[in-house]
Amino acid sequence: MFYYIITVFVIALDQLTKWLIVKNFELGESVEIIEDFLYITSHRNPGAAWGILEGQMWFFYIITVIVIIGIVYYMQKAAKGNHLLGVSLALMLGGAIGNFIDRVLHQEVVDFINTYIFSYDFPIFNVADAALCIGVGMLMLQMILEEIAAKKEKKDGKSGTHRS
């Protein structure tokens, strides 16, 4: 249940921030937060990351539904007792649903977080995108930790020092 609370929080924060941008900014309007680093910029994305697959809404609908079903299934089966995995899946689920809502309602995604990293103008993103990226990063960390634990267990088992 805790993981679904995280998911709902991500969706609510994502939709609230997008609503605030749509209501208070003209499309293309930008406000500097930290000079040469962070701006709030009203932007719309009719595609996926970096605008790829623009206009392919049915593709996004189908893929997102499959991803949501897969994440929920995996949360139910594998996340019990594994908080890192559960939180990572909850963030990914919230992010996927947040952007899915935009695509269904508006046929585009509202983006507004505009960053410059070492003078590189990073693609504009939103809370759902950030949750997805953080969730994927946490999932990768979980996978690395599992691999380390498996190697340690295998090594301990071979040397006869394995304890039950």
Side-chain angles (χ1 to χ4, degrees), residues 121-136:
D121 186 6
F122 196 79
I124 302 171
F125 61 100
N126 58 44
V127 171
D129 297 332
L132 278 163
C133 289
I134 293 167
V136 168

Side-chain angles (χ1 to χ4, degrees), residues 44-100:
R44 305 299 180 273
N45 183 351
W50 296 278
I52 61 172
L53 300 172
E54 184 175 328
Q56 303 296 318
M57 283 304 129
W58 285 107
F59 174 76
F60 291 124
Y61 298 155
I62 293 166
I63 294 300
T64 304
V65 168
I66 291 169
V67 166
I68 289 170
I69 291 168
I71 292 172
V72 169
Y73 176 80
Y74 202 54
M75 280 175 68
Q76 296 293 0
K77 295 294 181 187
K80 291 181 176 144
N82 187 333
H83 298 300
L84 182 59
L85 178 61
V87 172
S88 71
L89 293 171
L91 290 171
M92 292 187 323
L93 183 60
I97 293 172
N99 282 338
F100 185 69

Side-chain angles (χ1 to χ4, degrees), residues 14 22 34 36 41-42 47 62 65 71 78 91 107 117 119 154:
D14 177 65
V22 169
I34 301 172
D36 295 326
T41 303
S42 179
I62 293 166
V65 168
I71 292 172
L91 290 171
Q107 286 68 54
I117 301 172
S119 76
K154 185 177 179 182

